[in-house]
Amino acid sequence: MSEIVVYGVPGSPFLRAVQMGLEEKRVAYRLQAMTPGEHKTEAYLKKHPFGRVPLFEHGDFTLYETQAILRYIDGEFPEPPLEPTDHRAAAHMNQIIGINDWYFFPKVAAVIVFQRIVGPRLLGTATDQAAIDAAMPMAHVCIAELNRLLGTQPFFAGDSLSIADLMLAPQLDFFAETPEGKSLLAATGLSAWLDRMNGRPSMQATLRPEVLRHAA
Ligand SMILES: N[C@@H](CCC(=O)N[C@@H](CS)C(=O)NCC(=O)O)C(=O)O
């Protein structure tokens, strides 16, 4: 089988989602760990012109964009399936992926997790409280809506794990390390879901580096 290589900065939630997909499928891969900033080098930009992580290679096939990578992995390695066959369940999975990509990551996690953890602990920058305050209204909307969409289901697309859970768990696990995330999640059913996700071997095999496990 062609080698699978995943490039990314360890601790990145999008990278972790891809790693989790491979772990759930029990597919061997090599992690090409990058240092912060390496994703903006000329060599890397040739492969990923948007300068983000992760980047995925399967032999001579190269792909970026996390949900595309996870859908590819699901197609290549069908067991266990990560996409529901029921079209309404699949629509819910896609809805969660959209919420993560358009609202939760860029408007909430990229601000609050960055200001509380990544900036201070990895880059030595000070926390900007005004930026956190400005992100809080969207944080409330995202958490309330994700909680409503999960409802009483074990997973976001129903009874089985899907790409939606794989994309959201690393994000919410990181967010839960911040005081804002902790208090927003506490009042919701998302906490129990996150505990269940954290119990999975795929989460345990892909823990964030120690430096990114606690708020500064
Ligand atoms: N839409 C991209 C988003 C990936 C992304 O934003 N990754 C973050 C790390 S979690 C990143 O590369 N940040 C670096 C930067 O913004 O310079 C995907 O799905 O892969």
mmCIF file of all heavy atoms in Angstrom, residues 11-15 39-40 48 50-54 64-67 69 101 105 167 171, ligand 1:
data_model
loop_
_atom_site.group_PDB
_atom_site.id
_atom_site.type_symbol
_atom_site.label_atom_id
_atom_site.label_comp_id
_atom_site.label_asym_id
_atom_site.label_seq_id
_atom_site.Cartn_x
_atom_site.Cartn_y
_atom_site.Cartn_z
ATOM 1 N N GLY A 11 -1.056 19.227 17.775
ATOM 2 C CA GLY A 11 -1.955 20.015 18.622
ATOM 3 C C GLY A 11 -3.021 20.706 17.797
ATOM 4 O O GLY A 11 -4.069 21.088 18.324
ATOM 5 N N SER A 12 -2.782 20.875 16.494
ATOM 6 C CA SER A 12 -3.789 21.518 15.646
ATOM 7 C C SER A 12 -5.044 20.644 15.590
ATOM 8 O O SER A 12 -4.975 19.453 15.275
ATOM 9 C CB SER A 12 -3.225 21.707 14.239
ATOM 10 O OG SER A 12 -4.267 21.612 13.284
ATOM 11 N N PRO A 13 -6.224 21.223 15.883
ATOM 12 C CA PRO A 13 -7.442 20.418 15.881
ATOM 13 C C PRO A 13 -7.799 19.833 14.517
ATOM 14 O O PRO A 13 -8.328 18.723 14.436
ATOM 15 C CB PRO A 13 -8.533 21.394 16.326
ATOM 16 C CG PRO A 13 -7.830 22.550 16.938
ATOM 17 C CD PRO A 13 -6.457 22.597 16.345
ATOM 18 N N PHE A 14 -7.507 20.555 13.434
ATOM 19 C CA PHE A 14 -7.817 20.003 12.105
ATOM 20 C C PHE A 14 -6.895 18.821 11.807
ATOM 21 O O PHE A 14 -7.328 17.812 11.260
ATOM 22 C CB PHE A 14 -7.683 21.084 11.027
ATOM 23 C CG PHE A 14 -8.811 22.083 11.020
ATOM 24 C CD1 PHE A 14 -8.671 23.333 11.595
ATOM 25 C CD2 PHE A 14 -10.033 21.774 10.433
ATOM 26 C CE1 PHE A 14 -9.710 24.257 11.581
ATOM 27 C CE2 PHE A 14 -11.077 22.686 10.420
ATOM 28 C CZ PHE A 14 -10.918 23.932 10.997
ATOM 29 N N LEU A 15 -5.617 18.963 12.166
ATOM 30 C CA LEU A 15 -4.693 17.838 12.010
ATOM 31 C C LEU A 15 -5.192 16.648 12.827
ATOM 32 O O LEU A 15 -5.225 15.505 12.354
ATOM 33 C CB LEU A 15 -3.296 18.251 12.499
ATOM 34 C CG LEU A 15 -2.299 17.097 12.698
ATOM 35 C CD1 LEU A 15 -1.956 16.433 11.379
ATOM 36 C CD2 LEU A 15 -1.038 17.600 13.404
ATOM 37 N N HIS A 39 4.393 26.217 8.069
ATOM 38 C CA HIS A 39 3.323 26.131 7.074
ATOM 39 C C HIS A 39 3.258 27.371 6.177
ATOM 40 O O HIS A 39 2.436 27.452 5.288
ATOM 41 C CB HIS A 39 1.971 25.885 7.752
ATOM 42 C CG HIS A 39 1.612 26.900 8.788
ATOM 43 N ND1 HIS A 39 2.336 27.097 9.930
ATOM 44 C CD2 HIS A 39 0.586 27.788 8.839
ATOM 45 C CE1 HIS A 39 1.779 28.060 10.643
ATOM 46 N NE2 HIS A 39 0.715 28.494 10.004
ATOM 47 N N LYS A 40 4.144 28.347 6.444
ATOM 48 C CA LYS A 40 4.182 29.538 5.585
ATOM 49 C C LYS A 40 5.458 29.560 4.729
ATOM 50 O O LYS A 40 5.750 30.551 4.067
ATOM 51 C CB LYS A 40 4.129 30.821 6.432
ATOM 52 C CG LYS A 40 2.908 30.925 7.357
ATOM 53 C CD LYS A 40 1.585 31.045 6.602
ATOM 54 C CE LYS A 40 0.416 31.248 7.570
ATOM 55 N NZ LYS A 40 -0.878 30.912 7.005
ATOM 56 N N HIS A 48 0.452 23.529 -0.371
ATOM 57 C CA HIS A 48 -0.805 24.046 0.201
ATOM 58 C C HIS A 48 -0.741 25.571 0.098
ATOM 59 O O HIS A 48 -0.262 26.249 1.002
ATOM 60 C CB HIS A 48 -0.925 23.601 1.660
ATOM 61 C CG HIS A 48 -2.283 23.833 2.270
ATOM 62 N ND1 HIS A 48 -3.098 24.888 1.927
ATOM 63 C CD2 HIS A 48 -2.967 23.124 3.211
ATOM 64 C CE1 HIS A 48 -4.226 24.827 2.626
ATOM 65 N NE2 HIS A 48 -4.176 23.758 3.402
ATOM 66 N N PHE A 50 -2.671 27.881 0.577
ATOM 67 C CA PHE A 50 -3.345 28.680 1.601
ATOM 68 C C PHE A 50 -2.575 28.661 2.929
ATOM 69 O O PHE A 50 -2.965 29.336 3.884
ATOM 70 C CB PHE A 50 -4.787 28.187 1.799
ATOM 71 C CG PHE A 50 -5.593 28.317 0.527
ATOM 72 C CD1 PHE A 50 -5.807 27.227 -0.304
ATOM 73 C CD2 PHE A 50 -6.101 29.550 0.137
ATOM 74 C CE1 PHE A 50 -6.522 27.353 -1.491
ATOM 75 C CE2 PHE A 50 -6.820 29.690 -1.049
ATOM 76 C CZ PHE A 50 -7.037 28.591 -1.865
ATOM 77 N N GLY A 51 -1.513 27.857 2.992
ATOM 78 C CA GLY A 51 -0.645 27.885 4.166
ATOM 79 C C GLY A 51 -1.315 27.456 5.450
ATOM 80 O O GLY A 51 -1.115 28.083 6.499
ATOM 81 N N ARG A 52 -2.102 26.422 5.370
ATOM 82 C CA ARG A 52 -2.782 25.903 6.568
ATOM 83 C C ARG A 52 -2.413 24.439 6.759
ATOM 84 O O ARG A 52 -1.910 23.782 5.840
ATOM 85 C CB ARG A 52 -4.308 25.998 6.388
ATOM 86 C CG ARG A 52 -4.816 27.421 6.173
ATOM 87 C CD ARG A 52 -5.130 28.035 7.493
ATOM 88 N NE ARG A 52 -5.498 29.432 7.371
ATOM 89 C CZ ARG A 52 -6.434 30.007 8.108
ATOM 90 N NH1 ARG A 52 -7.123 29.303 8.991
ATOM 91 N NH2 ARG A 52 -6.688 31.285 7.984
ATOM 92 N N VAL A 53 -2.710 23.912 7.921
ATOM 93 C CA VAL A 53 -2.531 22.475 8.156
ATOM 94 C C VAL A 53 -3.893 21.877 8.496
ATOM 95 O O VAL A 53 -4.756 22.585 9.024
ATOM 96 C CB VAL A 53 -1.525 22.211 9.310
ATOM 97 C CG1 VAL A 53 -0.174 22.776 8.964
ATOM 98 C CG2 VAL A 53 -2.012 22.760 10.648
ATOM 99 N N PRO A 54 -4.091 20.602 8.142
ATOM 100 C CA PRO A 54 -3.120 19.619 7.669
ATOM 101 C C PRO A 54 -3.032 19.548 6.152
ATOM 102 O O PRO A 54 -3.847 20.120 5.436
ATOM 103 C CB PRO A 54 -3.708 18.313 8.212
ATOM 104 C CG PRO A 54 -5.189 18.508 8.096
ATOM 105 C CD PRO A 54 -5.407 19.971 8.425
ATOM 106 N N TYR A 64 -5.593 18.751 0.526
ATOM 107 C CA TYR A 64 -5.768 19.555 1.739
ATOM 108 C C TYR A 64 -7.236 19.882 1.869
ATOM 109 O O TYR A 64 -8.022 19.649 0.948
ATOM 110 C CB TYR A 64 -4.874 20.817 1.741
ATOM 111 C CG TYR A 64 -5.064 21.765 0.572
ATOM 112 C CD1 TYR A 64 -6.115 22.672 0.547
ATOM 113 C CD2 TYR A 64 -4.186 21.740 -0.501
ATOM 114 C CE1 TYR A 64 -6.286 23.546 -0.512
ATOM 115 C CE2 TYR A 64 -4.345 22.604 -1.563
ATOM 116 C CZ TYR A 64 -5.405 23.504 -1.558
ATOM 117 O OH TYR A 64 -5.567 24.351 -2.614
ATOM 118 N N GLU A 65 -7.638 20.435 3.010
ATOM 119 C CA GLU A 65 -9.006 20.671 3.482
ATOM 120 C C GLU A 65 -9.477 19.407 4.227
ATOM 121 O O GLU A 65 -9.695 18.336 3.634
ATOM 122 C CB GLU A 65 -9.993 21.050 2.372
ATOM 123 C CG GLU A 65 -9.799 22.465 1.847
ATOM 124 C CD GLU A 65 -9.823 23.531 2.938
ATOM 125 O OE1 GLU A 65 -10.814 23.631 3.684
ATOM 126 O OE2 GLU A 65 -8.823 24.259 3.082
ATOM 127 N N THR A 66 -9.621 19.590 5.519
ATOM 128 C CA THR A 66 -9.827 18.459 6.425
ATOM 129 C C THR A 66 -11.027 17.593 6.061
ATOM 130 O O THR A 66 -10.942 16.364 6.052
ATOM 131 C CB THR A 66 -9.930 18.998 7.866
ATOM 132 O OG1 THR A 66 -8.712 19.705 8.141
ATOM 133 C CG2 THR A 66 -10.117 17.884 8.875
ATOM 134 N N GLN A 67 -12.148 18.227 5.761
ATOM 135 C CA GLN A 67 -13.322 17.379 5.478
ATOM 136 C C GLN A 67 -13.121 16.591 4.182
ATOM 137 O O GLN A 67 -13.571 15.433 4.077
ATOM 138 C CB GLN A 67 -14.613 18.184 5.435
ATOM 139 C CG GLN A 67 -14.678 19.258 4.391
ATOM 140 C CD GLN A 67 -16.118 19.549 4.012
ATOM 141 O OE1 GLN A 67 -16.883 18.653 3.689
ATOM 142 N NE2 GLN A 67 -16.496 20.824 4.074
ATOM 143 N N ILE A 69 -10.240 15.481 3.129
ATOM 144 C CA ILE A 69 -9.307 14.396 3.484
ATOM 145 C C ILE A 69 -10.064 13.264 4.176
ATOM 146 O O ILE A 69 -9.903 12.084 3.851
ATOM 147 C CB ILE A 69 -8.180 14.938 4.397
ATOM 148 C CG1 ILE A 69 -7.357 16.002 3.668
ATOM 149 C CG2 ILE A 69 -7.292 13.790 4.882
ATOM 150 C CD1 ILE A 69 -6.408 16.807 4.568
ATOM 151 N N ASP A 101 -16.545 24.865 10.344
ATOM 152 C CA ASP A 101 -15.625 25.537 9.424
ATOM 153 C C ASP A 101 -15.911 27.035 9.252
ATOM 154 O O ASP A 101 -14.991 27.814 9.010
ATOM 155 C CB ASP A 101 -15.680 24.866 8.049
ATOM 156 C CG ASP A 101 -14.940 23.528 8.028
ATOM 157 O OD1 ASP A 101 -14.352 23.156 9.066
ATOM 158 O OD2 ASP A 101 -14.959 22.848 6.992
ATOM 159 N N PHE A 105 -14.827 27.467 14.367
ATOM 160 C CA PHE A 105 -13.356 27.599 14.337
ATOM 161 C C PHE A 105 -12.917 29.051 14.087
ATOM 162 O O PHE A 105 -12.227 29.634 14.907
ATOM 163 C CB PHE A 105 -12.688 26.636 13.341
ATOM 164 C CG PHE A 105 -11.215 26.915 13.234
ATOM 165 C CD1 PHE A 105 -10.369 26.624 14.293
ATOM 166 C CD2 PHE A 105 -10.678 27.536 12.106
ATOM 167 C CE1 PHE A 105 -9.012 26.933 14.235
ATOM 168 C CE2 PHE A 105 -9.326 27.842 12.045
ATOM 169 C CZ PHE A 105 -8.498 27.530 13.107
ATOM 170 N N MET A 167 -14.425 15.992 13.456
ATOM 171 C CA MET A 167 -13.977 17.369 13.261
ATOM 172 C C MET A 167 -14.230 18.230 14.488
ATOM 173 O O MET A 167 -13.455 19.132 14.800
ATOM 174 C CB MET A 167 -14.639 17.969 12.021
ATOM 175 C CG MET A 167 -14.063 17.321 10.758
ATOM 176 S SD MET A 167 -14.477 18.183 9.250
ATOM 177 C CE MET A 167 -13.630 19.753 9.461
ATOM 178 N N GLN A 171 -11.783 20.249 18.345
ATOM 179 C CA GLN A 171 -12.032 21.685 18.550
ATOM 180 C C GLN A 171 -12.619 21.937 19.941
ATOM 181 O O GLN A 171 -12.178 22.826 20.671
ATOM 182 C CB GLN A 171 -13.032 22.205 17.493
ATOM 183 C CG GLN A 171 -12.575 22.085 16.060
ATOM 184 C CD GLN A 171 -11.563 23.141 15.644
ATOM 185 O OE1 GLN A 171 -11.241 24.048 16.408
ATOM 186 N NE2 GLN A 171 -11.055 23.014 14.435
HETATM 187 N N1 LIG B 1 -10.200 24.807 6.069
HETATM 188 C C1 LIG B 1 -8.961 24.260 6.568
HETATM 189 C C2 LIG B 1 -8.642 24.946 7.889
HETATM 190 C C3 LIG B 1 -7.317 24.481 8.455
HETATM 191 C C4 LIG B 1 -6.777 25.463 9.493
HETATM 192 O O1 LIG B 1 -7.205 26.626 9.585
HETATM 193 N N2 LIG B 1 -5.805 24.999 10.261
HETATM 194 C C5 LIG B 1 -5.191 25.865 11.231
HETATM 195 C C6 LIG B 1 -4.638 25.039 12.392
HETATM 196 S S1 LIG B 1 -5.869 24.258 13.330
HETATM 197 C C7 LIG B 1 -3.999 26.552 10.599
HETATM 198 O O2 LIG B 1 -3.391 26.030 9.690
HETATM 199 N N3 LIG B 1 -3.647 27.741 11.103
HETATM 200 C C8 LIG B 1 -2.482 28.396 10.677
HETATM 201 C C9 LIG B 1 -2.699 29.787 10.181
HETATM 202 O O3 LIG B 1 -3.855 30.240 10.191
HETATM 203 O O4 LIG B 1 -1.727 30.399 9.794
HETATM 204 C C10 LIG B 1 -9.098 22.744 6.734
HETATM 205 O O5 LIG B 1 -10.224 22.256 6.842
HETATM 206 O O6 LIG B 1 -8.093 22.045 6.689
#
